[in-house]
Amino acid sequence: MEINLSTNFFKTIELYKSLPGSRSLPEGRYEVSWVGPNWFQSLAKNGLGVLGFKNWVGKEFSGSEFAINIFSDENGGNGFNKFPMEVALSQSQVDSKACIRVSYPKTTPFPWPLVVDEFRVLNANTLVGLSYTKGLSVFPLPFYLIQK
């Protein structure tokens, strides 16, 4: 069954807040689905390239406290992995409920050690994510990760 995911920033943030707190760490390969108007989605993809995440397509979770980012090659195929992440169940900085928190080690290139992603499970294949800079959780950028 296909779920119609909202691309509205505010509706997606409210969806995240309405979901129950997370109780387990995800496992599997997830691809990003952007939120926001088309101009913002294009800006986000290109902006990530400037920040060292050119061709970023998603994350791969191991079901433990480690995960890695997935990138495509220049032609959009043959993905490769880089930039490991630390994963933990934690208290959300957005609404204080339990969440899956993803952060980057200090050895990751700037600005990624300052970035936090929080996730909650929408269904068996979809995570709702909020990304923000440490200390600025009042301005999260929502996105979805969909297991393929």
Side-chain angles (χ1 to χ4, degrees):
M1 177 174 133
E2 183 89 13
I3 291 182
N4 186 12
L5 300 175
S6 174
T7 60
N8 179 287
F9 286 117
F10 302 107
K11 287 182 180 179
T12 306
I13 292 169
E14 288 307 311
L15 172 61
Y16 175 88
K17 291 179 178 180
S18 75
L19 294 170
S22 299
R23 306 224 182 273
S24 63
L25 298 178
E27 187 171 2
R29 187 178 184 97
Y30 291 79
E31 293 181 12
V32 66
S33 179
W34 298 100
V35 171
N38 288 338
W39 65 265
F40 179 81
Q41 293 181 34
S42 178
L43 180 66
K45 290 175 195 174
N46 294 323
L48 284 175
V50 172
L51 299 172
F53 267 55
K54 183 177 181 182
N55 300 320
W56 178 74
V57 295
K59 298 181 184 296
E60 187 163 353
F61 294 94
S62 65
S64 70
E65 54 275 344
F66 299 103
I68 194 147
N69 285 287
I70 306 166
F71 295 80
S72 67
D73 66 16
E74 295 297 322
N75 300 317
N78 299 325
F80 61 95
N81 300 336
K82 66 179 181 177
F83 301 127
M85 302 166 288
E86 299 166 350
V87 184
L89 294 175
S90 184
Q91 183 179 17
S92 169
Q93 296 300 303
V94 174
D95 66 4
S96 299
K97 292 188 333 190
C99 71
I100 301 159
R101 180 184 167 101
V102 175
S103 58
Y104 295 86
K106 292 179 181 178
T107 56
T108 309
F110 180 83
W112 299 106
L114 302 176
V115 174
V116 173
D117 294 332
E118 293 185 6
F119 296 98
R120 292 213 176 106
V121 176
L122 177 62
N123 61 40
N125 300 318
T126 309
L127 302 174
V128 180
L130 300 179
S131 185
Y132 55 87
T133 304
K134 290 179 182 176
L136 293 175
S137 60
V138 295
F139 299 113
L141 294 175
F143 63 102
Y144 299 99
L145 289 180
I146 302 170
Q147 193 169 31
K148 299 295 179 172

